[in-house]
Amino acid sequence: MKKTLLLFFVLITYSTFSQIRFEPGYITENNGDRKECLIRNLAWKNNPIEIEYKITENDVTQKATIAQLIEFNVGNAYKYKRFTTKIDRSSANINNLSNEKAPAFKEETLFLKLLVEGKINLYQYEDNNLIRYFISSDNHETAEQLIYKEYAIGNTAVGKNNQFRQQLYMALKSDKLGIKDFEKVNYNQNELTKLFVHYNKTENIAFTNLDEKQNKSSVNIKFVAGINSAKLNIKSGLSNSEVKFDNVNIFKVGAEIEYRMGFNQNKWSLFFDPNYQAYKSDAPFLKTNIRLKADYKMLELPVGVRHHFYLNDKSRIFVDLGYAFAIAFNSSVDYSYQKLQIANSGNVFFGAGFAYDRYAIEMRYSPNREILDNYLSWRSKYSSLSIAVSYRVF
């Protein structure tokens, strides 16, 4: 069975490394030349400093850096323009707040991602936990950061510099937008995008909402059922003897909540899939007539991270890694006059699978869970290899 699992993972790994996804787009070089090409679309979480592209499907992959490109566009959703502009990188971490209200600007050359394109453009810059928004107007040759900064007031209070609201009020002048429209807007992608869309619509200005075409976070709910091939070994420290219970096929049933992250083509997700299982088996103790009986009923609570590799619009393979905590109830290992109570415990697991549309199948291995942790003289290893199918409700 372990050989089967190993082969399964080798095939999955081979398939994933062979996958490279390029989509139609264009690049504009420093001399102003625009080239239609295929760009590797990573749906970048952090604003890139270089991209991979090729002129035709069978062409050699090339790299282009921020020093070589004025802008690039891929998939009619992701458009980045290069600006040399001032950016404030002040930390928003409560432990590292600046005492200064004013932004600490430094000039940098950046690719800014377009969210709304029109008479006034809205851009986003993201670098891990740092998120900044910019605007440009007229010929769009320069970009200005919208200023928002949290700063420390003494040792106990936090102040907020909301100058971005005044900047927006001056930039988006309209008889149909009042001061209150700007006073209530917050410094985040959703609210700023809505404000720009509203401005363009009320002013009857042609615009493109690129934000709505880009990857968004989503939540999936699934029903899950499967079979576990589970086994238990226990060892007595007093007699230095090991008891091996038979492999038992047990059913598991549950549900899964999956949070698909809104970047990198939704390839990363977090999941939680509680399920119920019940393991029963018995085995002889040494060479006696005494038989040990294991009765392990559990509510398993796995949480983990999953990475998806798309084969086409409906098919994908995935791998995951996580930790499963099991709540045991009315569970014990019995022999002769003694009853060993099974404790709540957990273990790391890893798995891989294939999904088509709403259906998926996954193989998951959970090694060496210690279930007799309450006893100094006993040790145990509970492990399982499972195959489960799921159906995505939404």
Side-chain angles (χ1 to χ4, degrees):
M1 189 167 290
K2 287 185 178 180
K3 290 181 179 179
T4 302
L5 181 64
L6 178 61
L7 177 61
F8 186 68
F9 275 101
V10 169
L11 292 174
I12 289 285
T13 303
Y14 175 78
S15 300
T16 58
F17 277 107
S18 65
Q19 180 204 41
I20 300 176
R21 188 173 182 177
F22 286 81
E23 296 182 13
Y26 69 83
I27 59 174
T28 304
E29 298 177 319
N30 287 336
N31 59 9
D33 287 348
R34 171 170 161 163
K35 291 183 179 178
E36 303 294 325
C37 60
L38 299 171
I39 300 175
R40 188 179 183 188
N41 187 357
L42 300 178
W44 300 264
K45 179 184 184 298
N46 295 327
N47 289 40
I49 58 173
E50 67 176 22
I51 62 168
E52 294 181 5
Y53 74 97
K54 49 188 178 181
I55 302 302
T56 64
E57 187 67 44
N58 297 321
D59 202 3
V60 176
T61 300
Q62 304 178 59
K63 286 187 178 182
T65 69
I66 192 171
Q68 299 170 296
L69 301 179
I70 296 173
E71 70 176 43
F72 70 89
N73 182 301
V74 57
N76 294 318
Y78 294 92
K79 185 174 183 178
Y80 287 84
K81 295 188 68 173
R82 185 185 69 191
F83 291 95
T84 297
T85 186
K86 292 180 179 179
I87 182 172
D88 171 35
R89 290 183 176 270
S90 299
S91 175
N93 187 309
I94 191 68
N95 297 316
N96 297 313
L97 291 180
S98 166
N99 293 317
E100 298 294 329
K101 179 179 180 179
F105 281 126
K106 289 185 179 180
E107 189 172 86
E108 298 183 28
T109 299
L110 310 168
F111 271 139
L112 301 182
K113 180 173 71 173
L114 262 164
L115 298 179
V116 181
E117 185 174 29
K119 180 181 177 181
I120 311 293
N121 288 353
L122 174 65
Y123 307 86
Q124 182 188 59
Y125 177 79
E126 184 169 357
D127 184 8
N128 296 318
N129 294 325
L130 178 80
I131 299 178
R132 299 289 185 262
Y133 297 96
F134 294 77
I135 58 173
S136 70
S137 59
D138 300 326
N139 57 12
H140 303 291
E141 291 185 355
T142 61
E144 174 188 9
Q145 183 191 314
L146 295 175
I147 297 170
Y148 172 79
K149 181 182 179 181
E150 296 182 358
Y151 59 96
I153 302 176
N155 296 322
T156 57
V158 176
K160 294 181 180 180
N161 181 344
N162 288 311
Q163 189 179 337
F164 76 96
R165 292 171 178 161
Q166 182 180 0
Q167 292 172 280
L168 290 172
Y169 178 72
M170 297 301 295
L172 305 179
K173 289 184 178 180
S174 171
D175 295 336
K176 298 173 184 177
L177 289 175
I179 294 178
K180 290 185 178 180
D181 292 307
F182 297 94
E183 287 178 341
K184 64 184 180 181
V185 69
N186 291 307
Y187 198 79
N188 62 58
Q189 181 175 341
N190 185 49
E191 294 195 25
L192 290 174
T193 299
K194 282 184 178 179
L195 178 65
F196 272 72
V197 170
H198 180 61
Y199 165 76
N200 285 297
K201 285 183 176 180
T202 56
E203 292 296 307
N204 198 25
I205 297 172
F207 74 99
T208 302
N209 183 0
L210 291 151
D211 175 67
E212 67 180 2
K213 301 177 183 180
Q214 296 165 6
N215 287 164
K216 302 295 181 185
S217 300
S218 61
V219 176
N220 296 332
I221 306 295
K222 307 174 186 178
F223 291 131
V224 183
I227 298 177
N228 275 12
S229 177
K231 67 177 182 178
L232 172 65
N233 295 344
I234 66 172
K235 187 174 183 180
S236 170
L238 297 177
S239 60
N240 197 32
S241 57
E242 186 174 22
V243 179
K244 295 184 178 181
F245 291 82
D246 291 336
N247 275 35
V248 177
N249 292 327
I250 60 175
F251 290 97
K252 70 173 185 177
V253 62
E256 179 180 286
I257 302 173
E258 182 182 29
Y259 175 71
R260 300 289 294 273
M261 299 181 189
F263 60 87
N264 197 20
Q265 297 286 24
N266 297 118
K267 289 183 179 180
W268 290 97
S269 62
L270 302 174
F271 64 91
F272 171 57
D273 61 339
N275 62 84
Y276 173 79
Q277 302 176 40
Y279 171 88
K280 284 188 177 182
S281 185
D282 60 75
F285 184 62
L286 299 179
K287 296 180 180 180
T288 68
N289 293 326
I290 300 174
R291 298 193 68 83
L292 279 73
K293 296 182 179 180
D295 185 359
Y296 184 19
K297 295 183 286 292
M298 75 194 88
L299 176 64
E300 193 175 60
L301 305 172
V303 294
V305 60
R306 179 174 292 149
H307 189 63
H308 307 260
F309 302 87
Y310 295 98
L311 304 177
N312 54 50
D313 289 340
K314 286 193 173 184
S315 302
R316 67 186 187 278
I317 51 182
F318 58 88
V319 292
D320 52 44
L321 175 70
Y323 184 83
F325 182 74
I327 300 174
F329 51 95
N330 297 327
S331 298
S332 62
V333 176
D334 300 351
Y335 80 98
S336 187
Y337 58 87
Q338 190 172 5
K339 176 178 287 191
L340 304 174
Q341 297 293 334
I342 294 177
N344 297 338
S345 55
N347 62 281
V348 173
F349 66 84
F350 53 91
F354 172 79
Y356 177 79
D357 199 13
R358 292 178 176 269
Y359 300 91
I361 183 169
E362 179 184 0
M363 181 176 287
R364 183 179 294 179
Y365 180 56
S366 300
N368 301 342
R369 179 186 299 169
E370 174 59 72
I371 64 173
L372 297 177
D373 203 34
N374 293 333
Y375 301 92
L376 295 176
S377 58
W378 291 91
R379 287 292 174 264
S380 63
K381 291 181 180 180
Y382 178 83
S383 59
S384 65
L385 177 65
S386 68
I387 295 179
V389 294
S390 64
Y391 175 77
R392 177 170 56 85
V393 181
F394 61 85

